[in-house]
Amino acid sequence: MPYYRSAGEVPPKRHTQFRAPDGSLYAEELMGQEGFSSDSSLLYHRHLPTAIVAAEEYDPTGWTRTPNRPLKPRHLRTHKLDSGGGDPVLDRQHLLANDDVRISYVVADRPSPLYRNAIGDECLYVEAGTARVESTFGTLEVASGDYVIIPTSVIHRIVPTGERLRLLTVEATGHIGPPKRYLSVRGQFLEHSPYCERDIRGPSEPLLVEGSDVEVYVQHRSRAGRPPVGGSAWTRLVFANHPFDVVGWDGHLYPWAFSIHDFEPITGRVHQPPPAHQTFQGPNFVICSFVPRKVDYHPLAIPVPYNHHNVDSDEMMFYTGGSYEARRGSGIEQGSISLHPSGFTHGPQPGAVERAIGVDYFDELAVMVDTFRPLDLCEAALACEDTGYAWTWAGRSLP
């Protein structure tokens, strides 16, 4: 993250002796990105964070990728994937993936195990429910509308705290953060940014948990290829002491949350293009937020999007609230995902343009992921697909 935080106790000078009340040294851990030439944090553990007592391979549920062939737009109804619940990590149902990112959906009613993604950052979007995200840095309370960024290799677990938790998960092969154009050279949010430091929540105090012989599931890189195409593997490590033993930390690297409801929309006299909605950037993809907003106010404006073709990107849209005017009549509903691939021109459904003329406010909520490599379909996507969606612009049923 682009600004400094501190929680708990830290010594006045880094990399110096820091002792517990009994005189023993705390174990200092430097967690840093890009070979310690980018963001980092220093954590002070009661026990050695290196002390493991067992390691074994773990085989998660298998999954495959199928190219989007024949090339066509897709509509996925994620609520058809309700399976009675599961945990927020091991029971994710993978929907779309390429060599840079994997997008999944999960309905969870119980805590995940302790988990570390050693491949890349994760962005979680809370569609519904509440949860507590516990990590070596502390606790984040999250609710519907929250994005949660979990940096690479942070040990954490997700604990649902109310009704069943619905999550859209975006797993990257690198780092996810605010777009660079929103930040100064020193990392401060600039005035034109649609959100700023005041909108961001980080852990405020350490989380101390006693325990020994504690299991942590680690997803990590494999020589089989670049993840998520097939280069990921899983190991179940057993730590001698509970990893939630950090008495203090400081730095720029930590899990953080940001509510989509705090995103300030950028509007204009005529329709604004998708980059106006950008919220995060990742390796070869961006994440955008479409929120309730005043819409185009030129006297001849057409508020819904024009027909468009982003020639370099696949566009995935997750509809998570309100009424998405441009898609009315297409079958899109709460929890729907549309996939409009590069090579296909898409736009408003028939009748949407005329209906929108004169409208001055849209009450819609959606999360968009644009990828610069084609997205493949996973088994869960095919299981919940509305196969008639591609023909809705023509007003025809499935051939």
Side-chain angles (χ1 to χ4, degrees), residues 21-39:
D22 65 2
S24 61
L25 280 170
Y26 288 123
E28 184 182 46
E29 176 192 5
L30 174 62
M31 175 173 280
Q33 297 175 338
E34 299 178 12
F36 302 109
S37 61
S38 186
D39 293 348

Side-chain angles (χ1 to χ4, degrees), residues 93-344:
Q93 301 196 63
H94 307 318
L95 298 171
L96 303 164
N98 62 23
D99 288 355
D100 304 307
V101 65
R102 181 170 66 194
I103 300 167
S104 308
Y105 187 79
V106 63
V107 181
D109 61 357
R110 59 180 180 268
S112 73
L114 292 177
Y115 166 61
R116 164 183 275 169
N117 185 337
I119 296 171
D121 294 358
E122 295 191 357
C123 175
L124 316 178
Y125 178 79
V126 183
E127 180 197 355
T130 58
R132 188 172 63 249
V133 180
E134 301 174 345
S135 75
T136 46
F137 291 83
T139 300
L140 285 171
E141 301 288 343
V142 299
S144 176
D146 276 337
Y147 291 105
V148 187
I149 305 296
I150 310 291
T152 309
S153 279
V154 170
I155 297 176
H156 66 282
R157 72 171 188 154
I158 304 166
V159 183
T161 54
E163 60 182 282
R164 290 198 302 171
L165 181 67
R166 294 180 178 272
L167 290 178
L168 182 78
T169 68
V170 179
E171 300 173 45
T173 55
H175 302 308
I176 301 172
K180 290 182 179 179
R181 71 178 185 276
Y182 293 168
L183 305 175
S184 74
V185 294
R186 294 176 178 82
Q188 181 180 4
F189 279 95
L190 298 170
E191 282 295 301
H192 67 271
S193 171
Y195 62 102
C196 72
E197 290 86 352
R198 297 184 187 183
D199 300 316
I200 290 168
R201 312 191 312 272
S204 59
E205 59 185 22
L207 172 63
L208 297 172
V209 178
E210 297 293 337
S212 58
D213 295 345
V214 178
E215 290 186 344
V216 175
Y217 288 73
V218 182
Q219 183 179 190
H220 52 94
R221 298 180 181 91
S222 165
R223 293 183 63 186
R226 291 190 61 199
V229 67
S232 65
W234 287 68
T235 296
R236 186 164 45 216
L237 297 176
V238 180
F239 283 75
N241 301 100
H242 201 294
F244 295 171
D245 68 340
V246 174
V247 298
W249 62 270
D250 74 335
H252 292 244
L253 181 68
Y254 47 83
W256 54 282
F258 164 69
S259 174
I260 195 172
H261 304 299
D262 287 327
F263 185 89
E264 299 301 332
I266 298 169
T267 61
R269 288 198 347 131
V270 295
H271 191 78
Q272 299 299 295
H277 306 278
Q278 188 178 354
T279 312
F280 308 109
Q281 67 180 33
N284 290 318
F285 70 88
V286 301
I287 299 175
C288 300
S289 302
F290 290 79
V291 302
R293 63 195 182 278
K294 181 177 178 62
V295 289
D296 320 334
Y297 42 89
H298 186 283
L300 297 179
I302 299 176
V304 293
Y306 29 74
N307 296 311
H308 56 286
H309 184 181
N310 187 344
V311 299
D312 293 319
S313 299
D314 279 15
E315 175 195 289
M316 186 228 81
M317 185 84 80
F318 177 63
Y319 302 87
T320 182
S323 176
Y324 206 81
E325 182 60 32
R327 295 270 79 85
R328 193 202 301 184
S330 66
I332 295 294
E333 59 193 5
Q334 175 71 30
S336 284
I337 285 177
S338 64
L339 173 63
H340 298 139
S342 173
F344 172 76

